[in-house]
Amino acid sequence: MRIATWNVNSIRSRIDRVVAWLEANDVDVLAIQETKCREDQFPGLELSALGYEYVHFGLNQWNGVALISRVGLEDVAMSYADDQPHFGDPAHLEARSIGATCGGVRVWSFYVPNGRTLDDPHYTYKLAWLERLHAASSQWLADDPQAQIAMVGDWNVAPTDEDVWDMSVFEGHTHVSVPEREAFQAIVDAGYADVVRPHTPGPGVYTYWDYQQLAFPKKRGLRIDFILASPALAARVDSAFIDREERKGKGPSDHAPVVIDIS
DNA sequence: ATGGTCGTCTTACGA
């Protein structure tokens, strides 16, 4: 079974690419982030025509997450916990999590808050969001140590210096701060392994390149999109890759798809 | 060719 994650940066502007990529890559489950649309705007017909089911959580032009599956889509949840942190004025549950059971695997599509700057309320929100996810996902494994769980998406954290094209440029910025890295590592330490990195060793291996300043051809990227797997699922991972070819051509997302194959 | 931001509720803001 093949599971993938991809921040598409607007599903409406990227639907032709998504359809072509699904067809070309024999994908069973695709987790999407940044759909940037409401339910009624989601281009579901194109996906149904390919034989996929889908679930989407989108409130407006911001955020938005979806799961697309051809191996079933059951027990859908729009938040990872009842107390997933809220944000905004008035504070509300943002469209940043969607989970479903697909082919026996509990798959979560996450769009972790960006943080913006280290002194922004959005940064505090980001840390709380990750800390609460750590608590919730730890409990899932406590409840069932054999659980098949994939937590995938845009984590907006570069866990190691190798995941950043030039650390000096990111001094004092989000994505690389110690609290963010500790929050990410806590989830790994709880038992959720990065199952892509062993198959795609760095340095210079990224999943995101800014649209500006020719970042992609200059190889100035970040590794911030991850597939974290519970122990029982991690044991089934045969291979993985980052499809950086998808960052090329006319009208790409600024993120590349990340893919695993499990037995 | 991969080539000097992009996407949205677009002249402002988030990423």
Side-chain angles (χ1 to χ4, degrees):
Chain A
M1 184 162 78
R2 174 165 280 187
I3 302 174
T5 183
W6 189 8
N7 179 324
V8 297
N9 186 20
S10 169
I11 188 63
R12 287 177 291 170
S13 68
R14 216 73 62 204
I15 185 60
D16 290 350
R17 273 204 180 237
V18 170
V19 165
W21 189 79
L22 284 169
E23 288 188 309
N25 286 277
D26 202 28
V27 175
D28 294 301
V29 182
L30 174 61
I32 287 180
Q33 301 84 40
E34 283 209 90
T35 60
K36 290 188 168 180
C37 68
R38 298 185 307 266
E39 304 303 325
D40 58 295
Q41 299 171 312
F42 189 81
L45 292 177
E46 288 87 339
L47 301 170
S48 300
L50 286 180
Y52 288 91
E53 297 177 274
Y54 59 88
V55 287
H56 173 233
F57 179 26
L59 299 173
N60 48 41
Q61 72 271 44
W62 310 122
N63 315 308
V65 284
L67 287 166
I68 298 168
S69 171
R70 64 179 187 192
V71 291
L73 207 48
E74 300 169 353
D75 300 324
V76 176
M78 304 293 194
S79 65
Y80 60 67
D82 290 340
D83 59 349
Q84 179 177 313
H86 292 195
F87 194 77
D89 187 17
H92 63 281
L93 179 73
E94 296 189 310
R96 295 182 177 277
S97 300
I98 192 165
T101 302
C102 306
V105 178
R106 189 69 180 159
V107 181
W108 285 97
S109 178
F110 292 142
Y111 180 45
V112 176
N114 173 285
R116 301 180 186 174
T117 59
L118 297 183
D119 59 358
D120 194 293
H122 207 262
Y123 178 74
T124 308
Y125 169 52
K126 178 181 193 175
L127 293 179
W129 205 97
L130 286 168
E131 286 165 13
R132 186 64 195 92
L133 176 57
H134 169 240
S137 57
S138 295
Q139 188 60 49
W140 300 337
L141 279 182
D143 292 342
D144 178 9
Q146 296 304 311
Q148 304 274 338
I149 302 170
M151 300 199 291
V152 316
D154 178 355
W155 293 78
N156 270 317
V157 177
T160 76
D161 289 356
E162 199 176 85
D163 302 327
V164 181
W165 64 274
D166 184 349
M167 273 302 293
S168 68
V169 172
F170 283 80
E171 190 74 30
H173 286 245
T174 61
H175 295 60
V176 302
S177 73
V178 170
E180 288 166 89
R181 286 180 167 177
E182 287 181 344
F184 182 88
Q185 186 60 40
I187 294 170
V188 174
D189 290 343
Y192 294 93
D194 175 354
V195 290
V196 176
R197 191 183 296 271
H199 299 274
T200 59
V205 174
Y206 309 124
T207 64
Y208 161 85
W209 301 260
D210 198 293
Y211 285 124
Q212 301 181 58
Q213 304 295 121
L214 289 173
F216 183 64
K218 291 179 180 292
K219 305 184 188 307
R220 296 175 173 175
L222 300 174
R223 192 201 286 251
I224 55 176
D225 300 270
F226 297 99
I227 295 179
L228 302 189
S230 63
L233 183 65
R236 297 170 58 196
V237 176
D238 293 326
S239 60
F241 66 95
I242 298 163
D243 190 4
R244 71 183 297 284
E245 294 301 305
E246 186 53 44
R247 183 63 178 78
K248 302 178 180 179
K250 181 177 172 57
S253 170
D254 43 2
H255 294 253
V258 180
V259 185
I260 61 168
D261 288 307
I262 63 176
S263 59

